[in-house]
Amino acid sequence: MTTFSVRKLTFSAILIAIGILIPLIMPIKIIIGPASFTLASHVPIFLAMFLSPGVAVLVALGTALGFFLSFPAIIAFRALSHVLFVAIGALILQKKPQIVGSFRRFQVFNIGIGLIHALAELAVVSIFFFQGNMAETTYTQGYFYTVFLLVGVGGWIHSIIDGSIAYYIGERLSHLFEFPVFVAAKKYVPNRPKAH
Amino acid sequence: MNKLILGRYIPGNSIIHHMDPRAKLISSFYFIGIIFLCNNWQSYLGMFLFTMLVIFLSKVKVGFFIKGVRPLIWLILFTVTLQILFTSGGTVYFHWGIISITEFGLTNGIFIFCRFVLIIFMSTLLTLTTPPLALSDAIESILRPLAVIHFPAHEVSLMLSIALRFVPTLMDETEKIMNAQRARGVDFSEGSLIQKMKAVIPLLIPLFVSSFNRAEELATAMEARGYQGGVGRTKYRVLSWQFTDTLALVCMGVLTLILVYLRA
């Protein structure tokens, strides 16, 4: 195991711990009807995407496993569905690190990846909904409002917000720690003329 | 630091402490799955009595389990309140606009509360009676068949045990940072979405910086001790499956049959 692998292992473990911790302690929650969105709950998995696809998938799997031990199954399965979007996102970032070179480019990526995120969660919640495993409130207010609008559209917006926070934090942290995507992105910054 | 029980181990000499961690892990996950079979008072009572029996056998004080529920109490109460206020059906006790407190709402609210509490009790029992290293070994052992598809079972299990170990430490750290930022005038509860997003940054950046510093230190410490991954690594404590472990799984099977019977 190389030095970098040990680092990846410990960074992944810490990101999993923060991923489990944020929904428990984050004081800022946006409440819309029967749904509550914890601000920054996806930041650790977005940061993992800046490290490598392997780390991203492991962090998504690890947080899901952590949620299985402390939250109801539906939350854990929603967390498990993150594996899909983080894997795709991390692979795209690995191939095109210049995406993180500008906030505008990252937002295009963020909106696209947020859509995959929302669709995966929508699929998981829909399975629970149609199997009759959800709270009575959900059925009273109907599929369109509680599942499609709140989980689907709400989840998409939540993902975009968390992605933006993660980008800001990742960009700041890349000056202190080695984030391969940000390191690679610096190669794409056009050389400025040297001052004489 | 004392608020969060998840990730803590309480040494003991009970039958639950001596069980194989693999049996405990499988039983815990199985329990979390079958709790969704509960749909009436009898089934929840059955699950409650079973949980209490297991807690009694573990010889761990019930207070520790109540502590485990405490960090999640607002999340639980929020879910229960929504359930009570927006569920229709049965006798209506109170009605105002779209809000109504009904017989079904109250029943469902109590059921959801029980479900949350029982899941937390069982997962807390797993971590309180299983040392992190044993839990890591159990995860590694269960995931080992995936090695055929080059799945890094050893690394994943170690990562999870480090994560669980760090949850209470990082929670303590976060509280300190939150208090420090509040003292500097950051308001986490007021303002628009943009203002809330801005308020979260002074909390998250110090948290990630200190956490990543810990990760760097840990990596250095592991390398200094010659850690080279799971390949060729032998174990000081070898897991051994015993009769009580098989019995535990049989008990879970019997519990499932009882729940199916009570559900019918």
Side-chain angles (χ1 to χ4, degrees), chain B residues 98-166:
Chain B
I98 56 162
I99 293 168
S100 56
I101 298 176
T102 63
E103 186 188 348
F104 284 7
L106 281 174
T107 314
N108 277 327
I110 295 167
F111 283 174
I112 284 198
F113 181 81
C114 293
R115 195 183 291 172
F116 261 109
V117 169
L118 290 174
I119 288 173
I120 295 166
F121 273 20
M122 207 40 113
S123 53
T124 307
L125 182 79
L126 172 71
T127 51
L128 285 182
T129 60
T130 317
L133 278 177
L135 202 58
S136 161
D137 286 347
I139 296 169
E140 186 181 346
S141 173
I142 292 168
L143 294 178
R144 198 170 294 149
L146 295 176
V148 291
I149 53 162
H150 302 290
F151 185 80
H154 169 78
E155 282 73 20
V156 170
S157 64
L158 180 65
M159 210 171 63
L160 283 172
S161 59
I162 293 172
L164 285 177
R165 159 65 188 82
F166 270 99

Side-chain angles (χ1 to χ4, degrees), chain B residues 45-58:
Chain B
L45 183 68
M47 288 299 256
F48 179 76
L49 290 175
F50 177 79
T51 310
M52 284 299 130
L53 174 71
V54 182
I55 289 174
F56 172 75
L57 290 175
S58 75

Side-chain angles (χ1 to χ4, degrees), chain B residues 46-257:
Chain B
M47 288 299 256
F48 179 76
L49 290 175
F50 177 79
T51 310
M52 284 299 130
L53 174 71
V54 182
I55 289 174
F56 172 75
L57 290 175
S58 75
K59 295 179 186 171
V60 177
K61 286 179 189 167
V62 181
F64 280 108
F65 295 89
I66 295 166
K67 260 189 190 175
V69 174
R70 224 174 271 168
L72 291 165
I73 196 71
W74 293 111
L75 179 73
I76 298 171
L77 289 179
F78 172 72
T79 314
V80 169
T81 310
L82 285 177
Q83 192 69 29
I84 291 172
L85 295 180
F86 295 103
T87 305
S88 56
T91 314
V92 179
Y93 300 116
F94 173 80
H95 184 79
W96 183 69
I98 56 162
I99 293 168
S100 56
I101 298 176
T102 63
E103 186 188 348
F104 284 7
L106 281 174
T107 314
N108 277 327
I110 295 167
F111 283 174
I112 284 198
F113 181 81
C114 293
R115 195 183 291 172
F116 261 109
V117 169
L118 290 174
I119 288 173
I120 295 166
F121 273 20
M122 207 40 113
S123 53
T124 307
L125 182 79
L126 172 71
T127 51
L128 285 182
T129 60
T130 317
L133 278 177
L135 202 58
S136 161
D137 286 347
I139 296 169
E140 186 181 346
S141 173
I142 292 168
L143 294 178
R144 198 170 294 149
L146 295 176
V148 291
I149 53 162
H150 302 290
F151 185 80
H154 169 78
E155 282 73 20
V156 170
S157 64
L158 180 65
M159 210 171 63
L160 283 172
S161 59
I162 293 172
L164 285 177
R165 159 65 188 82
F166 270 99
V167 168
T169 313
L170 293 181
M171 181 156 189
D172 192 33
E173 188 95 12
T174 313
E175 280 199 358
K176 276 184 195 163
I177 297 167
M178 272 165 70
N179 288 336
Q181 299 296 16
R182 281 195 183 110
R184 291 183 177 98
V186 175
D187 191 347
F188 296 111
S189 56
E190 295 292 318
S192 64
L193 183 61
I194 301 289
Q195 283 166 328
K196 283 180 176 174
M197 276 172 71
K198 282 181 180 168
V200 93
I201 301 292
L203 171 64
L204 290 179
I205 288 185
L207 175 67
F208 278 108
V209 169
S210 78
S211 306
F212 285 171
N213 277 330
R214 278 179 199 277
E216 295 265 19
E217 284 165 14
L218 187 61
T220 310
M222 284 166 74
E223 283 159 23
R225 285 164 176 80
Y227 178 77
Q228 290 185 328
V231 182
R233 197 175 169 91
T234 54
K235 297 217 177 286
Y236 176 61
R237 292 179 190 85
V238 180
L239 300 177
S240 70
W241 190 273
Q242 292 181 351
F243 175 70
T244 46
D245 304 310
T246 312
L247 193 65
L249 296 189
V250 171
C251 284
M252 297 310 285
V254 172
L255 190 65
T256 313
L257 292 177

Side-chain angles (χ1 to χ4, degrees), chain A residues 104-116:
Chain A
R104 193 176 289 176
R105 265 202 300 267
F106 181 78
Q107 278 312 317
V108 176
F109 163 82
N110 194 17
I111 290 166
I113 217 71
L115 185 63
I116 299 170

Side-chain angles (χ1 to χ4, degrees), chain A residues 10 24 28 65 68-69 135-136, chain B residues 32 72 83 87 123 160 188 215:
Chain A
T10 55
L24 298 176
I28 304 169
L65 204 65
F68 268 113
L69 293 172
E136 192 63 35
Chain B
I32 292 168
L72 291 165
Q83 192 69 29
T87 305
S123 53
L160 283 172
F188 296 111

